[in-house]
Amino acid sequence: MNPATVQELIWAGVLVALAAFWPMMSNGYWLGIGVDVMMYTALATSWMLFSGPTHYISLASAAFFGVGGFVVGSGMSDYDASFWSMLALSAVIGGVLAALIGLATLRLSGVYFVIFTLGLAEMIRNLVSWVQNNFLGSRGLYVLTEFTDAHLYWMLLVTAGCVYLLGWIISRSRLGFALRIIGGDETVARHVGINTAMAKVILFTTTGVFGAIVGAIIAPRWSYIEPNQVFSPQLSFFVVIMALLGGSGRLWGPVVGVIPFLLIWNWVDSNFPNQSILVLGVAFLVIVYFLPHGFVGRIEQLRARARGR
Amino acid sequence: MKQAGAVLSVKNITKRFGGLVAVSNMSFDVAEHEMVGIIGPNGSGKTTMINMISGVFAPTDGRISLRGRLISDAAPQIIAREGVGRTFQLVRLLPGLSVLENVMAGAVYGHKRRWGREAEDFAHSVLERVGMDAMSHAPVSSLTYIDQKRVELARTLAGEPKVLLLDEWLAGLNPTELETGIELIHNLRNEGRTIVMVEHVMDAIRSLCDRCVVMSSGAKIADGTTDDVLSDQDVIRAYLGDDDA
Ligand SMILES: Nc1ncnc2c1ncn2[C@@H]1O[C@H](COP(=O)(O)OP(=O)(O)OP(=O)(O)O)[C@@H](O)[C@H]1O
Ligand SMILES: [Mg+2]
């Protein structure tokens, strides 16, 4: 991932400002899509902060997202805690969990890392379900708030904006440069003096923090939290596909993957509900055969060609 | 004694890979401004020795110290920051980065920790020294083999190492490139750098190294001035086989 430019930051600011008007122009179905877009933009962008430069594909997004939803659900229904305090707590727990996973997986690379993160996320899901069913609530996890879809949309927009800003700062920092070097050759990274373990854990932790925050913000939308559902591994795959479809070369990549994917997914899901999973497969094929560097790669290719002429 | 002033000191180093003893009870010292060659037949443990100095893996036994500080149990990034820089037998460049960025990588995390403009300017000056500044914005995939080697050397120099380890830096070059390469290392020598070079090219060893350490089957079989070592009977036997000696 290349260092982001000041121009990109200005464009991002303009886009965030424009996006803030969406709830005024839409409702119901389209506002719902807007919430989905913001949710996945925040998740895929934060996933990219770590996986973009390092090429470590993490399938643990659902674990962090689920922690956010579960902490809000459990805190609000079992302990009468406020939404905001649980939002803060879930960010902390998501961060700690990610740091632990990061430390445990440091020595793994390639496909081992992918499988390990997926397995770990599944383990956490089962563990939380088990604890919930046997020790905590018999009453179920209710998240009853005054928030409307528009409120959730704005909260997610702010979160996505923060992820982008953090990514922008990191991409221009020593840490961001270190991650690109790690992505190129970890042995070289260590031999030029980079503490590769530290760099990877820091970035993975930010992914965990934001995953949990997004999970916490979206919890009120469901009103009733079912652990098995908020930890669903499908979310992890969605995040990866959208990020790769957009392209990992630029910080703004995920957003151009999220929007088309969600529009197609929703259209197929409402017209051919039994075929929706097919979209995932087709998206994978499209990425592998036609868009190995995502839409971003294609856009930059066209731009370079236009400049060359 | 020379040992007291040693910049790099290797003491009774042994490395086992399972049952294989790759390096066996090696000891040698490198003094400041000295250029030491490590020579020996294929598979005699030279790269393994370099790998232990730079921290790729820890020795099974023994101690390595840099200016009196023990480094043999430290991680590569710590050793790099302490001032040990190296190149790799098979060139390792960072494929997604430009030539300039490859060299900046060496300048940013070393003991000087330059950043931004300063790191860029410094990287340019190092590239100039190895004769590669004109290519600074090229992608590394477009470079010829010797140019890749020069960029890798520049990256290592950008970390301003106190000890430079070169693992067969001259291997794989054609005769004209070899001349350029030897001249480049000659310049480093004249700058008074402390260098350990693993090399098979005997002409280079003769013209560049003050001293040579010879390895055979993981053990040290000779250590002395280059001329003495190269006329040593054991060394000739190790290189040419028993029958010829
Ligand atoms: N990581 C490793 N794991 C197992 N065995 C190894 C490892 N690295 C080196 N060896 C073995 O150690 C021995 C010494 O290898 P080394 O690469 O140090 O030799 P070398 O002197 O550098 O040879 P060359 O001149 O061919 O580069 C060889 O038998 C090699 O197979
Ligand atoms: Mg070797």
Side-chain angles (χ1 to χ4, degrees):
Chain A
M1 192 156 57
N2 296 310
T5 60
V6 175
Q7 201 186 5
E8 279 176 53
L9 184 66
I10 294 169
W11 275 113
V14 171
L15 275 181
V16 168
L18 288 177
F21 289 104
W22 184 251
M24 279 88 135
M25 304 185 305
S26 66
N27 48 41
Y29 178 78
W30 285 104
L31 182 54
I33 297 237
V35 171
D36 283 341
V37 165
M38 281 309 145
M39 167 179 136
Y40 279 108
T41 300
L43 289 173
T45 310
S46 79
W47 180 89
M48 270 262 301
L49 294 190
F50 172 74
S51 298
T54 61
H55 310 306
Y56 279 68
I57 306 285
S58 156
L59 284 175
S61 305
F64 309 131
F65 180 84
V67 160
F70 179 76
V71 167
V72 166
S74 180
M76 289 180 72
S77 37
D78 294 344
Y79 302 96
D80 280 331
S82 76
F83 171 77
W84 299 107
S85 60
M86 287 304 101
L87 176 65
L89 182 64
S90 62
V92 172
I93 297 180
V96 171
L97 182 65
L100 291 176
I101 295 180
L103 287 170
T105 53
L106 279 180
R107 289 176 190 286
L108 304 178
S109 55
V111 74
Y112 297 102
F113 180 83
V114 182
I115 300 297
F116 194 88
T117 52
L118 178 65
L120 217 60
E122 281 295 278
M123 195 191 80
I124 292 168
R125 155 155 97 150
N126 286 307
L127 197 70
V128 170
S129 284
W130 181 73
V131 169
Q132 170 66 16
N133 292 336
N134 290 290
F135 302 101
L136 295 174
S138 42
R139 296 177 296 150
L141 305 174
Y142 292 94
V143 180
L144 304 172
T145 62
E146 310 270 276
F147 296 136
T148 62
D149 269 7
H151 293 128
L152 301 185
Y153 176 90
W154 281 317
M155 285 193 261
L156 290 167
L157 176 63
V158 170
T159 309
C162 289
V163 175
Y164 184 89
L165 185 63
L166 180 71
W168 189 85
I169 293 168
I170 290 176
S171 83
R172 296 164 65 89
S173 71
R174 265 202 175 86
L175 178 60
F177 189 41
L179 288 163
R180 289 173 65 205
I181 298 170
I182 292 171
D185 188 330
E186 259 189 85
T187 302
V188 169
R190 279 194 287 270
H191 278 87
V192 297
I194 294 169
N195 188 339
T196 54
M198 177 89 90
K200 286 191 287 185
V201 170
I202 289 175
L203 260 288
F204 199 58
T205 303
T206 67
T207 305
V209 168
F210 283 110
I213 289 177
V214 171
I217 292 176
I218 210 80
R221 194 193 206 188
W222 284 322
S223 0
Y224 181 79
I225 300 282
E226 166 64 50
N228 255 319
Q229 180 198 336
V230 292
F231 283 96
S232 160
Q234 179 178 293
L235 180 122
S236 302
F237 285 100
F238 266 39
V239 168
V240 174
I241 287 182
M242 291 181 203
L244 294 182
L245 190 63
S248 59
R250 295 276 173 194
L251 204 49
W252 47 266
V255 73
V256 295
V258 166
I259 295 171
F261 183 88
L262 282 177
L263 289 178
I264 294 171
W265 175 268
N266 277 306
W267 183 77
V268 173
D269 201 36
S270 51
N271 291 295
F272 315 94
N274 296 327
Q275 267 68 49
S276 56
I277 208 77
L278 199 70
V279 177
L280 274 185
V282 171
F284 253 124
L285 290 179
V286 167
I287 292 168
V288 172
Y289 286 106
F290 303 109
L291 293 167
H293 300 288
F295 288 124
V296 169
R298 192 40 70 86
I299 292 168
E300 306 224 304
Q301 203 181 0
L302 293 178
R303 243 203 238 157
R305 210 176 291 163
R307 226 181 289 129
R309 216 178 286 142
Chain B
M1 252 176 76
K2 198 174 172 190
Q3 199 172 317
V7 176
L8 180 72
S9 166
V10 174
K11 278 215 164 40
N12 308 110
I13 288 291
T14 296
K15 179 70 190 178
R16 286 195 198 90
F17 293 113
L20 179 95
V21 183
V23 172
S24 155
N25 202 25
M26 277 287 290
S27 299
F28 63 92
D29 283 339
V30 181
E32 184 134 33
H33 312 306
E34 197 178 24
M35 188 141 183
V36 175
I38 298 184
I39 59 175
N42 289 114
S44 56
K46 305 180 296 292
T47 297
T48 306
M49 189 64 240
I50 297 289
N51 281 341
M52 284 187 285
I53 300 173
S54 78
V56 175
F57 28 66
T60 313
D61 213 352
R63 303 160 56 86
I64 300 170
S65 39
L66 185 74
R67 298 216 162 127
R69 285 171 70 157
L70 189 70
I71 56 167
S72 41
D73 54 1
Q77 68 269 17
I78 307 286
I79 296 175
R81 287 184 209 160
E82 288 281 327
V84 176
R86 72 170 290 183
T87 62
F88 295 88
Q89 184 165 357
L90 296 172
V91 189
R92 298 183 92 129
L93 291 182
L94 302 159
L97 277 60
S98 71
V99 165
L100 185 70
E101 287 175 320
N102 261 274
V103 178
M104 281 172 66
V108 174
Y109 308 95
H111 57 105
K112 279 266 173 63
R113 298 180 68 77
R114 300 166 200 269
W115 182 238
R117 251 265 96 83
E118 196 197 349
E120 251 174 67
D121 291 346
F122 188 65
H124 275 300
S125 74
V126 180
L127 275 170
E128 190 146 355
R129 211 152 72 197
V130 300
M132 287 294 295
D133 201 32
M135 308 278 281
S136 60
H137 294 288
V140 294
S141 55
S142 66
L143 300 182
T144 61
Y145 192 61
I146 184 166
D147 286 350
Q148 291 180 29
K149 292 209 138 191
R150 289 203 274 198
V151 171
E152 194 195 36
L153 180 64
R155 181 181 70 213
T156 309
L157 293 176
E160 295 175 272
K162 293 171 192 149
V163 176
L164 181 60
L165 311 172
L166 304 175
D167 192 356
E168 302 203 23
W169 195 78
L170 296 167
L173 303 184
N174 69 35
T176 13
E177 291 171 344
L178 193 60
E179 221 168 283
T180 320
I182 292 181
E183 192 185 310
L184 195 54
I185 298 181
H186 228 286
N187 293 339
L188 296 179
R189 185 196 143 101
N190 292 343
E191 288 169 17
R193 290 177 180 277
T194 310
I195 302 178
V196 176
M197 59 184 282
V198 170
E199 202 49 73
H200 277 305
V201 181
M202 281 305 156
D203 286 346
I205 294 282
R206 271 199 199 87
S207 65
L208 292 169
C209 296
D210 311 302
R211 233 183 81 215
C212 270
V213 173
V214 189
M215 293 182 72
S216 177
S217 310
K220 182 166 95 170
I221 58 167
D223 182 348
T225 63
T226 304
D227 286 340
D228 288 353
V229 160
L230 292 184
S231 52
D232 186 289
Q233 281 305 309
D234 288 340
V235 173
I236 295 168
R237 199 176 304 130
Y239 262 95
L240 302 176
D242 284 326
D243 299 342
D244 302 275

